[in-house]
Amino acid sequence: MKSLHNMPPTDDSGLALAKLFELAVVTFEFMERGLAERGLSRPRATVLWLLHERGPLRQRDLAEAIGVSARNVTGLVDGLERDGFAVRERHPDDRRAALVSLTGKGAATVAGLRGEYDEGAARLFADLGAGELAGFVSTVDRLVASIRAETC
Amino acid sequence: MKSLHNMPPTDDSGLALAKLFELAVVTFEFMERGLAERGLSRPRATVLWLLHERGPLRQRDLAEAIGVSARNVTGLVDGLERDGFAVRERHPDDRRAALVSLTGKGAATVAGLRGEYDEGAARLFADLGAGELAGFVSTVDRLVASIRAETC
DNA sequence: TATTGTTATACTCTATAACTATA
DNA sequence: TATAGTTATAGAGTATAACAATA
């Protein structure tokens, strides 16, 4: 899917918003290409990332962390298990619960993404001066706060 | 869906990329909330936008413009027609083709989105100085070009 | 023959609701 | 009674392939 980032601006802030949308779109495509090369979608990669950050988790914990339904997590973990990225194990203290962990392949995949991420960042921002980089980060912070405030 | 924008940075460019991902995520959520309020998804809104910009189009043209399969466009137009945003008409010169147009509701919806977009832009960038705004736009242009170059 | 859009089929991500096994 | 995760069902968005109508 392309577009919806080609809305013509009506003034300066309109231009800036058009640029922002365009940036969001190409950034998402950039994100997802890297994931797809490793056989991952964004939802599945998010699960792997959480398991890497927080260790083995119950599906319920994953559902809350990601903000999706329990049913959805069942499907995501099914896919990750089928493709060898994660496994369900018995929870030691609660026989209702499954404990989801990374496999070796899952851990290696997260590590690979991490490395690719660092390299990508270095390349992407290579030709920006320190001042421009700092200005960008500061503006992005203000914009993110502003968008979050809209949302409420 | 949340996250995958909370990857901890390893250095300055890593921080900038983390911010970029975060910005992309909140911008997408912001985009899609506005659309959802009008009963639209991003794919469907993209179709409406194209019809608004370029006038009635064949489904084939929509498929090429959006970058999805013909089958996919059939589904999107089905939904838009069912919900009264667009209609299929006979193509005057080619009896194989359907010509998709906006209805009055569709046109009004695009106009409403346009207005909301302008207001949103004004609010979002209100507290950025002219210099900061220009710097942001310029940096975004470089980043977009850089990401597109990666993609090739 | 080539093109337009359909039907047929399938996969992912998403949701709610009913149900099972446990707590 | 409440919770964890499943099955059942549904809908959107995506794809390929086979097919009908038309060019």
Side-chain angles (χ1 to χ4, degrees), chain B:
Chain B
M1 232 319 220
K2 288 178 195 143
S3 336
L4 208 64
H5 60 268
N6 51 355
M7 221 178 238
T10 47
D11 59 7
D12 285 354
S13 63
L15 172 65
L17 187 55
K19 295 291 181 185
L20 176 54
F21 282 174
E22 183 176 19
L23 180 63
V25 169
V26 301
T27 300
F28 256 61
E29 289 173 355
F30 177 61
M31 262 187 191
E32 294 190 332
R33 250 190 324 274
L35 296 178
E37 280 167 13
R38 290 185 158 76
L40 288 173
S41 62
R42 198 160 62 91
R44 288 186 192 174
T46 303
V47 171
L48 292 193
W49 185 252
L50 282 166
L51 295 175
H52 172 260
E53 286 298 281
R54 297 170 44 181
L57 291 173
R58 296 178 313 155
Q59 293 187 191
R60 175 60 194 272
D61 300 324
L62 287 169
E64 274 176 12
I66 304 174
V68 299
S69 68
R71 176 60 185 91
N72 200 336
V73 170
T74 297
L76 295 175
V77 174
D78 283 351
L80 289 170
E81 204 165 31
R82 185 200 58 200
D83 295 341
F85 293 106
V87 282
R88 282 179 176 96
E89 290 162 322
R90 287 191 303 279
H91 192 290
D93 306 333
D94 186 341
R95 298 207 299 184
R96 293 171 304 183
L99 205 49
V100 185
S101 314
L102 290 180
T103 58
K105 174 179 174 180
T109 300
V110 173
L113 283 171
R114 172 83 244 177
E116 194 175 283
Y117 170 94
D118 289 339
E119 288 164 26
R123 270 200 311 278
L124 203 54
F125 294 100
D127 51 347
L128 263 63
E132 188 174 359
L133 193 64
F136 176 73
V137 169
S138 143
T139 302
V140 168
D141 277 339
R142 295 177 69 173
L143 290 175
V144 167
S146 189
I147 293 174
R148 292 223 165 100
E150 290 274 323
T151 312
C152 119

